[in-house]
PDB file of all heavy atoms in Angstrom:
ATOM      1  N   ILE A  74       5.509   5.525  -7.585  1.00  0.00           N
ATOM      2  CA  ILE A  74       4.192   5.315  -8.148  1.00  0.00           C
ATOM      3  C   ILE A  74       4.280   5.540  -9.695  1.00  0.00           C
ATOM      4  O   ILE A  74       4.653   6.544 -10.152  1.00  0.00           O
ATOM      5  CB  ILE A  74       3.164   6.374  -7.625  1.00  0.00           C
ATOM      6  CG1 ILE A  74       3.087   6.299  -6.105  1.00  0.00           C
ATOM      7  CG2 ILE A  74       1.777   6.108  -8.201  1.00  0.00           C
ATOM      8  CD1 ILE A  74       2.228   7.319  -5.518  1.00  0.00           C
ATOM      9  N   ALA A  75       3.940   4.444 -10.411  1.00  0.00           N
ATOM     10  CA  ALA A  75       4.063   4.499 -11.812  1.00  0.00           C
ATOM     11  C   ALA A  75       2.713   5.156 -12.411  1.00  0.00           C
ATOM     12  O   ALA A  75       1.666   4.894 -11.921  1.00  0.00           O
ATOM     13  CB  ALA A  75       4.255   3.087 -12.436  1.00  0.00           C
ATOM     14  N   GLY A  76       2.990   5.838 -13.503  1.00  0.00           N
ATOM     15  CA  GLY A  76       1.790   6.321 -14.248  1.00  0.00           C
ATOM     16  C   GLY A  76       1.026   7.430 -13.560  1.00  0.00           C
ATOM     17  O   GLY A  76      -0.238   7.547 -13.789  1.00  0.00           O
ATOM     18  N   ILE A  77       1.709   8.255 -12.826  1.00  0.00           N
ATOM     19  CA  ILE A  77       0.967   9.469 -12.230  1.00  0.00           C
ATOM     20  C   ILE A  77       0.460  10.310 -13.245  1.00  0.00           C
ATOM     21  O   ILE A  77       1.153  10.732 -14.198  1.00  0.00           O
ATOM     22  CB  ILE A  77       1.984  10.213 -11.229  1.00  0.00           C
ATOM     23  CG1 ILE A  77       2.367   9.329 -10.086  1.00  0.00           C
ATOM     24  CG2 ILE A  77       1.192  11.439 -10.750  1.00  0.00           C
ATOM     25  CD1 ILE A  77       3.411   9.992  -9.210  1.00  0.00           C
ATOM     26  N   ILE A  78      -0.824  10.742 -13.119  1.00  0.00           N
ATOM     27  CA  ILE A  78      -1.423  11.616 -14.044  1.00  0.00           C
ATOM     28  C   ILE A  78      -1.529  13.070 -13.541  1.00  0.00           C
ATOM     29  O   ILE A  78      -1.118  14.038 -14.248  1.00  0.00           O
ATOM     30  CB  ILE A  78      -2.870  11.172 -14.391  1.00  0.00           C
ATOM     31  CG1 ILE A  78      -2.909   9.725 -14.884  1.00  0.00           C
ATOM     32  CG2 ILE A  78      -3.559  12.043 -15.388  1.00  0.00           C
ATOM     33  CD1 ILE A  78      -4.279   9.092 -15.028  1.00  0.00           C
ATOM     34  N   PHE A  79      -1.850  13.192 -12.273  1.00  0.00           N
ATOM     35  CA  PHE A  79      -1.915  14.487 -11.615  1.00  0.00           C
ATOM     36  C   PHE A  79      -1.226  14.480 -10.338  1.00  0.00           C
ATOM     37  O   PHE A  79      -1.340  13.500  -9.580  1.00  0.00           O
ATOM     38  CB  PHE A  79      -3.344  14.977 -11.434  1.00  0.00           C
ATOM     39  CG  PHE A  79      -4.123  15.232 -12.749  1.00  0.00           C
ATOM     40  CD1 PHE A  79      -5.082  14.336 -13.124  1.00  0.00           C
ATOM     41  CD2 PHE A  79      -3.945  16.320 -13.447  1.00  0.00           C
ATOM     42  CE1 PHE A  79      -5.815  14.520 -14.252  1.00  0.00           C
ATOM     43  CE2 PHE A  79      -4.647  16.544 -14.664  1.00  0.00           C
ATOM     44  CZ  PHE A  79      -5.590  15.627 -15.055  1.00  0.00           C
ATOM     45  N   MET A  80      -0.537  15.507  -9.934  1.00  0.00           N
ATOM     46  CA  MET A  80      -0.072  15.773  -8.623  1.00  0.00           C
ATOM     47  C   MET A  80      -0.712  17.058  -8.090  1.00  0.00           C
ATOM     48  O   MET A  80      -0.691  18.031  -8.888  1.00  0.00           O
ATOM     49  CB  MET A  80       1.451  15.856  -8.565  1.00  0.00           C
ATOM     50  CG  MET A  80       2.108  14.671  -9.168  1.00  0.00           C
ATOM     51  SD  MET A  80       3.932  14.869  -9.372  1.00  0.00           S
ATOM     52  CE  MET A  80       4.505  13.966  -7.953  1.00  0.00           C
ATOM     53  N   SER A  81      -1.213  17.088  -6.930  1.00  0.00           N
ATOM     54  CA  SER A  81      -1.997  18.215  -6.527  1.00  0.00           C
ATOM     55  C   SER A  81      -1.854  18.476  -5.004  1.00  0.00           C
ATOM     56  O   SER A  81      -1.435  17.587  -4.245  1.00  0.00           O
ATOM     57  CB  SER A  81      -3.510  18.117  -6.915  1.00  0.00           C
ATOM     58  OG  SER A  81      -4.012  16.856  -6.459  1.00  0.00           O
ATOM     59  N   ILE A  96      -2.726  22.215  -8.932  1.00  0.00           N
ATOM     60  CA  ILE A  96      -2.646  20.869  -9.612  1.00  0.00           C
ATOM     61  C   ILE A  96      -1.820  20.957 -10.799  1.00  0.00           C
ATOM     62  O   ILE A  96      -1.678  21.991 -11.491  1.00  0.00           O
ATOM     63  CB  ILE A  96      -4.118  20.476  -9.977  1.00  0.00           C
ATOM     64  CG1 ILE A  96      -4.067  19.019 -10.494  1.00  0.00           C
ATOM     65  CG2 ILE A  96      -4.727  21.372 -10.956  1.00  0.00           C
ATOM     66  CD1 ILE A  96      -5.472  18.320 -10.660  1.00  0.00           C
ATOM     67  N   MET A  97      -0.997  19.883 -10.977  1.00  0.00           N
ATOM     68  CA  MET A  97      -0.043  19.802 -12.021  1.00  0.00           C
ATOM     69  C   MET A  97      -0.128  18.445 -12.708  1.00  0.00           C
ATOM     70  O   MET A  97      -0.208  17.413 -12.085  1.00  0.00           O
ATOM     71  CB  MET A  97       1.385  19.915 -11.425  1.00  0.00           C
ATOM     72  CG  MET A  97       2.580  19.795 -12.422  1.00  0.00           C
ATOM     73  SD  MET A  97       4.105  20.122 -11.599  1.00  0.00           S
ATOM     74  CE  MET A  97       4.152  18.692 -10.574  1.00  0.00           C
ATOM     75  N   SER A  98      -0.289  18.497 -14.068  1.00  0.00           N
ATOM     76  CA  SER A  98      -0.424  17.284 -14.819  1.00  0.00           C
ATOM     77  C   SER A  98       0.976  16.840 -15.320  1.00  0.00           C
ATOM     78  O   SER A  98       1.890  17.620 -15.437  1.00  0.00           O
ATOM     79  CB  SER A  98      -1.324  17.450 -16.029  1.00  0.00           C
ATOM     80  OG  SER A  98      -0.706  18.178 -17.043  1.00  0.00           O
ATOM     81  N   THR A  99       1.095  15.599 -15.652  1.00  0.00           N
ATOM     82  CA  THR A  99       2.348  15.072 -16.216  1.00  0.00           C
ATOM     83  C   THR A  99       2.730  15.787 -17.484  1.00  0.00           C
ATOM     84  O   THR A  99       3.825  15.815 -17.918  1.00  0.00           O
ATOM     85  CB  THR A  99       2.365  13.550 -16.413  1.00  0.00           C
ATOM     86  OG1 THR A  99       1.226  13.212 -17.184  1.00  0.00           O
ATOM     87  CG2 THR A  99       2.243  12.887 -15.040  1.00  0.00           C
ATOM     88  N   GLY A 100       1.685  16.286 -18.131  1.00  0.00           N
ATOM     89  CA  GLY A 100       1.961  17.006 -19.434  1.00  0.00           C
ATOM     90  C   GLY A 100       2.435  18.419 -19.238  1.00  0.00           C
ATOM     91  O   GLY A 100       2.750  19.157 -20.125  1.00  0.00           O
ATOM     92  N   GLY A 101       2.482  18.870 -17.932  1.00  0.00           N
ATOM     93  CA  GLY A 101       3.024  20.175 -17.611  1.00  0.00           C
ATOM     94  C   GLY A 101       1.939  21.219 -17.412  1.00  0.00           C
ATOM     95  O   GLY A 101       2.322  22.429 -17.129  1.00  0.00           O
ATOM     96  N   THR A 102       0.667  20.964 -17.546  1.00  0.00           N
ATOM     97  CA  THR A 102      -0.336  21.943 -17.289  1.00  0.00           C
ATOM     98  C   THR A 102      -0.414  22.164 -15.755  1.00  0.00           C
ATOM     99  O   THR A 102      -0.499  21.191 -14.925  1.00  0.00           O
ATOM    100  CB  THR A 102      -1.712  21.418 -17.836  1.00  0.00           C
ATOM    101  OG1 THR A 102      -1.606  21.258 -19.241  1.00  0.00           O
ATOM    102  CG2 THR A 102      -2.750  22.472 -17.558  1.00  0.00           C
ATOM    103  N   ILE A 103      -0.512  23.369 -15.410  1.00  0.00           N
ATOM    104  CA  ILE A 103      -0.609  23.724 -13.938  1.00  0.00           C
ATOM    105  C   ILE A 103      -1.727  24.758 -13.796  1.00  0.00           C
ATOM    106  O   ILE A 103      -1.907  25.656 -14.533  1.00  0.00           O
ATOM    107  CB  ILE A 103       0.764  24.415 -13.449  1.00  0.00           C
ATOM    108  CG1 ILE A 103       1.872  23.351 -13.411  1.00  0.00           C
ATOM    109  CG2 ILE A 103       0.562  24.952 -12.064  1.00  0.00           C
ATOM    110  CD1 ILE A 103       3.250  23.922 -13.095  1.00  0.00           C
ATOM    111  N   ILE A 115       3.560  25.244  -7.396  1.00  0.00           N
ATOM    112  CA  ILE A 115       3.635  23.754  -7.333  1.00  0.00           C
ATOM    113  C   ILE A 115       4.690  23.225  -8.236  1.00  0.00           C
ATOM    114  O   ILE A 115       4.886  23.781  -9.353  1.00  0.00           O
ATOM    115  CB  ILE A 115       2.203  23.112  -7.697  1.00  0.00           C
ATOM    116  CG1 ILE A 115       2.288  21.604  -7.400  1.00  0.00           C
ATOM    117  CG2 ILE A 115       1.812  23.386  -9.119  1.00  0.00           C
ATOM    118  CD1 ILE A 115       0.900  20.887  -7.584  1.00  0.00           C
ATOM    119  N   ASN A 119       7.860  13.392 -11.095  1.00  0.00           N
ATOM    120  CA  ASN A 119       7.139  12.148 -11.309  1.00  0.00           C
ATOM    121  C   ASN A 119       8.000  10.961 -11.044  1.00  0.00           C
ATOM    122  O   ASN A 119       7.529   9.944 -10.442  1.00  0.00           O
ATOM    123  CB  ASN A 119       6.489  12.064 -12.658  1.00  0.00           C
ATOM    124  CG  ASN A 119       5.214  12.866 -12.786  1.00  0.00           C
ATOM    125  OD1 ASN A 119       4.929  13.641 -11.923  1.00  0.00           O
ATOM    126  ND2 ASN A 119       4.487  12.628 -13.816  1.00  0.00           N
ATOM    127  N   SER A 122       8.214  10.558  -7.512  1.00  0.00           N
ATOM    128  CA  SER A 122       6.895  10.502  -6.844  1.00  0.00           C
ATOM    129  C   SER A 122       6.973  11.505  -5.653  1.00  0.00           C
ATOM    130  O   SER A 122       6.558  11.217  -4.505  1.00  0.00           O
ATOM    131  CB  SER A 122       6.522   9.170  -6.380  1.00  0.00           C
ATOM    132  OG  SER A 122       6.371   8.237  -7.430  1.00  0.00           O
ATOM    133  N   LYS A 142      -1.954  14.989  -3.029  1.00  0.00           N
ATOM    134  CA  LYS A 142      -2.761  13.949  -3.690  1.00  0.00           C
ATOM    135  C   LYS A 142      -1.978  13.581  -4.978  1.00  0.00           C
ATOM    136  O   LYS A 142      -1.509  14.459  -5.695  1.00  0.00           O
ATOM    137  CB  LYS A 142      -4.136  14.407  -4.027  1.00  0.00           C
ATOM    138  CG  LYS A 142      -4.938  13.406  -4.771  1.00  0.00           C
ATOM    139  CD  LYS A 142      -6.381  14.116  -5.153  1.00  0.00           C
ATOM    140  CE  LYS A 142      -7.227  13.187  -5.983  1.00  0.00           C
ATOM    141  NZ  LYS A 142      -8.521  13.881  -6.326  1.00  0.00           N
ATOM    142  N   MET A 143      -1.925  12.282  -5.228  1.00  0.00           N
ATOM    143  CA  MET A 143      -1.373  11.762  -6.506  1.00  0.00           C
ATOM    144  C   MET A 143      -2.340  10.884  -7.145  1.00  0.00           C
ATOM    145  O   MET A 143      -2.876   9.955  -6.422  1.00  0.00           O
ATOM    146  CB  MET A 143      -0.033  11.040  -6.252  1.00  0.00           C
ATOM    147  CG  MET A 143       1.091  12.023  -5.693  1.00  0.00           C
ATOM    148  SD  MET A 143       2.682  11.194  -5.588  1.00  0.00           S
ATOM    149  CE  MET A 143       3.599  12.481  -4.679  1.00  0.00           C
ATOM    150  N   SER A 144      -2.693  11.174  -8.346  1.00  0.00           N
ATOM    151  CA  SER A 144      -3.759  10.436  -9.125  1.00  0.00           C
ATOM    152  C   SER A 144      -3.110   9.550 -10.183  1.00  0.00           C
ATOM    153  O   SER A 144      -2.374  10.099 -11.087  1.00  0.00           O
ATOM    154  CB  SER A 144      -4.700  11.491  -9.683  1.00  0.00           C
ATOM    155  OG  SER A 144      -5.297  12.193  -8.683  1.00  0.00           O
ATOM    156  N   VAL A 145      -3.436   8.329 -10.152  1.00  0.00           N
ATOM    157  CA  VAL A 145      -3.084   7.418 -11.257  1.00  0.00           C
ATOM    158  C   VAL A 145      -4.318   6.944 -11.884  1.00  0.00           C
ATOM    159  O   VAL A 145      -4.725   7.492 -12.906  1.00  0.00           O
ATOM    160  CB  VAL A 145      -2.307   6.205 -10.577  1.00  0.00           C
ATOM    161  CG1 VAL A 145      -1.806   5.294 -11.657  1.00  0.00           C
ATOM    162  CG2 VAL A 145      -1.215   6.709  -9.667  1.00  0.00           C
ATOM    163  N   GLY A 146      -4.994   5.923 -11.376  1.00  0.00           N
ATOM    164  CA  GLY A 146      -6.354   5.619 -11.739  1.00  0.00           C
ATOM    165  C   GLY A 146      -7.072   5.894 -10.435  1.00  0.00           C
ATOM    166  O   GLY A 146      -8.050   6.631 -10.376  1.00  0.00           O
ATOM    167  N   ALA A 147      -6.521   5.283  -9.365  1.00  0.00           N
ATOM    168  CA  ALA A 147      -6.904   5.606  -7.981  1.00  0.00           C
ATOM    169  C   ALA A 147      -6.251   6.873  -7.547  1.00  0.00           C
ATOM    170  O   ALA A 147      -5.384   7.444  -8.258  1.00  0.00           O
ATOM    171  CB  ALA A 147      -6.573   4.417  -7.130  1.00  0.00           C
ATOM    172  N   ALA A 148      -6.625   7.308  -6.497  1.00  0.00           N
ATOM    173  CA  ALA A 148      -6.077   8.558  -5.871  1.00  0.00           C
ATOM    174  C   ALA A 148      -5.428   8.188  -4.567  1.00  0.00           C
ATOM    175  O   ALA A 148      -5.974   7.490  -3.720  1.00  0.00           O
ATOM    176  CB  ALA A 148      -7.090   9.625  -5.668  1.00  0.00           C
ATOM    177  N   TYR A 149      -4.172   8.709  -4.330  1.00  0.00           N
ATOM    178  CA  TYR A 149      -3.522   8.518  -3.020  1.00  0.00           C
ATOM    179  C   TYR A 149      -3.469   9.857  -2.440  1.00  0.00           C
ATOM    180  O   TYR A 149      -3.107  10.940  -3.093  1.00  0.00           O
ATOM    181  CB  TYR A 149      -2.046   8.056  -3.273  1.00  0.00           C
ATOM    182  CG  TYR A 149      -1.987   6.692  -3.954  1.00  0.00           C
ATOM    183  CD1 TYR A 149      -1.759   6.611  -5.371  1.00  0.00           C
ATOM    184  CD2 TYR A 149      -2.138   5.535  -3.273  1.00  0.00           C
ATOM    185  CE1 TYR A 149      -1.668   5.385  -5.983  1.00  0.00           C
ATOM    186  CE2 TYR A 149      -2.032   4.265  -3.888  1.00  0.00           C
ATOM    187  CZ  TYR A 149      -1.761   4.236  -5.263  1.00  0.00           C
ATOM    188  OH  TYR A 149      -1.800   2.981  -5.887  1.00  0.00           O
TER     189      TYR A 149
END
Side-chain angles (χ1 to χ4, degrees):
I74 302 173
I77 295 174
I78 303 171
F79 296 104
M80 305 172 97
S81 52
I96 186 167
M97 178 175 66
S98 75
T99 53
T102 301
I103 294 176
I115 187 172
N119 278 16
S122 299
K142 177 184 176 183
M143 295 186 189
S144 303
V145 184
Y149 299 99

